[in-house]
Amino acid sequence: MRGSLPRVKWRGTRVQILADALANVKPVLKKIGLHLVRATQKAFRAQARGMFGWKKRRVPNIPGVLRDMERGITVPGRRFKDRPALIDTGMLRNSIAYEFISPTTIRFGTNLPYAAIHQRGGVSQIRLTTVMLSNLAVWIRSQQGKKWRDSFGWIFSKKRGSMLRFRVAKRPFVLVSEGDRVEIRRIIADQIAGDKAKRAAQ
């Protein structure tokens, strides 16, 4: 049945435009990757990502104070504020990035080891050290009459070397929201329109 199939003219049609766009998706993927990074970093200011609002931090932030005690007896004021969540040193927010893993695929997120527990929630563990307890005792004595002083007394009933466990709230930040999907469709449409305009000008 050779010669029985109809010929399809596709040069200059939407089919060709789509085929040409698919032949070089790197510019589109780069724009999509940049958008996802910016949208995720913006979430740290908004304290929400897509439809997921982030829960407030525990007050006082006992795990944070204990980690401070490993370095000295200074406790920053943010340990006693419930916002902003997921912002301590800024490392998590600044670590958000995207990368090409193939000519047609990108991934975005962070490679920080503690990011997963904040994304999904779970239990964080802190080993109680001698230095931690010693510095905590000095700090508590300096907090005479302060509001949060009594919140730390229970820690001294624990043995040195024991593991303290704290529940970490789920605060999703690496995701593709409905707003992202709308923007991704716009990026793709703009790329196709731009390619079409370039061919028309040639």
Side-chain angles (χ1 to χ4, degrees), residues 59-70:
V59 177
N61 185 345
I62 294 177
V65 171
L66 289 176
R67 293 189 179 96
D68 294 332
M69 293 298 106
E70 290 184 304

Side-chain angles (χ1 to χ4, degrees), residues 20-37:
D20 291 345
L22 290 172
N24 183 20
V25 297
K26 191 169 184 178
V28 175
L29 290 177
K30 183 176 180 179
K31 291 177 182 178
I32 291 171
L34 290 172
H35 162 74
L36 291 172
V37 169

